[in-house]
Amino acid sequence: MKKDIVAKKKVLILGINFAPELTGIGKYTGEMVDWLVEKDYDVTMVTSFPYYPNWSVQKPYSGRTYKKETEKDGKLSIYRCPMYVPAVPSGGRRVLQELTFLLSSFVVIFYLLFKKGHQQIFIMAPPFHLGFLGLFYRFFKGGKIDYHIHDMQIEAARQLKVIKADIAFKVLLKFEKYILNRVDYVSTISGGMKAKVQKKVKRDIIMFPNWVDTQKLFPLNNRRGLKRSWGYQEDDKIILYSGSIGEKQGLQSLVPIAKSMEAYRFIKFVICGIGPYKEELMKLAADAKLTNISFLPLQPLDQFNNLLNMADVHLVLQKKNAADLMLPSKLTGILSSGGLALVTADPGTSLYQAVVDHKMGVVIPSEDDDALRDAILDCCISDHTSETLKGRWYAEKYLNKHQILSNVMSYVTEPSLVDQNTLKYLDLSNA
């Protein structure tokens, strides 16, 4: 890759999630913006107020009106747009939420038409229809659009029965196809999602995977001491789920599994995070009178590496009907910290293929509670050092933040200067 590719440019990013959100799309968009500013880009971020994953606007924000923030010595301008945030995110309320953001962010996009233009535009989807705002801006101001797909939103809504009518499903797919055919670049985060997008549109799809900072999340050698500091016995085996607690994770199955394993007093389940289903899950655990499962709030960044290193087993749970429609971002941190990932995934999905091909975790079928229980027990009593070492190696080689962002920015800004190694990394089918 040429060293002079990264030049002084103005970048516009449009996405509903952004820093200071610590998980999901907001985490990665925030880290991407930080990296761009460090590389001397001027960045304009159009977003909403932080609300995910607890589904309420974080203090000190109120979220009632527009707010502009200027940071990084003037290199970063953040326009925060008000929107409806449902306390309980049902399907209909999610639709209303995204529509209110579409309308409020249009006001800012229209305002930006009277400012200096941006050479590069990133649309963070979902919501998928933000692509229309990007096309609207480009029509008047120019620039190149990368439509970046984190989740296959329309298909996921169909599988989770948020969209029930066939006509609505087909209309939304046509809207999405319109966007895909008119933006300059389309990117996504996994091979499985790339294959699904490729079926919708005959064009190259850029691999733009979620990354990890391997210098901040790394293996520690004092797991026994960390367990003491978190209130556990040194010989306890900690089964950790850390992340958003929502419907698509299917965490309810952990309650009967934990109940069936009460005889193994050294096995402790820890669920860390926030989300719309956390209270329901806590109630299920309380009703079952479980003593081997505990709940922690979302941990601050300076404690997150310690939390990951305390755990003996990390749960990466996916429902069968969500396979390859989204890729769990928590896996990158698990691999980087040298943790043992216990993954539910089925053959043919990119998650299954990545873990199996690189032998960097334990994979069992989705939604099989008996298999999950047996695998948890096996992970607690068997030696899986090989998998953890390979996971760390994979994180360092393929999930390095600087390499991923450098390669993508090189291609979308100056594709004619990109070398063959970068093209191979981006996995462009017809490059």
Side-chain angles (χ1 to χ4, degrees), residues 67-93:
K67 181 178 178 61
K68 181 183 179 182
E69 301 168 355
T70 303
E71 300 180 3
K72 312 288 186 181
D73 297 325
K75 294 181 181 179
L76 171 60
S77 297
I78 305 168
Y79 293 89
R80 296 195 181 271
C81 308
M83 70 175 180
Y84 165 68
V85 179
V88 180
S90 64
R93 292 169 181 170

Side-chain angles (χ1 to χ4, degrees), residues 212-219 334-339 360 387-397:
V212 66
D213 191 331
T214 55
Q215 294 181 335
K216 291 183 178 179
L217 298 180
F218 54 90
I334 294 169
L335 299 177
S336 186
S337 65
M360 55 186 184
E387 287 92 334
T388 61
L389 292 175
K390 289 174 181 176
R392 173 65 184 181
W393 174 86
Y394 182 89
E396 291 179 319
K397 183 172 178 62

Side-chain angles (χ1 to χ4, degrees), residues 107-119:
V107 174
V108 174
I109 294 297
F110 185 81
Y111 167 78
L112 292 176
L113 296 181
F114 301 93
K115 302 292 183 180
K116 188 175 180 180
H118 298 76
Q119 292 90 347

Side-chain angles (χ1 to χ4, degrees), residues 17 19 65 81 113 127 139 159 203 206 239 242-243 249 279 300-301 307 326 332 344 376 403 405 412 414 431:
N17 299 104
T65 186
C81 308
L113 296 181
F139 179 81
Q159 294 289 351
R203 64 181 304 166
I206 300 172
I239 316 301
S242 177
Q249 286 78 25
E279 289 188 9
L301 292 177
L307 174 72
M326 65 278 293
T332 61
T344 62
I376 289 172
Q403 182 182 16
L405 289 171
V412 300
E414 297 289 349

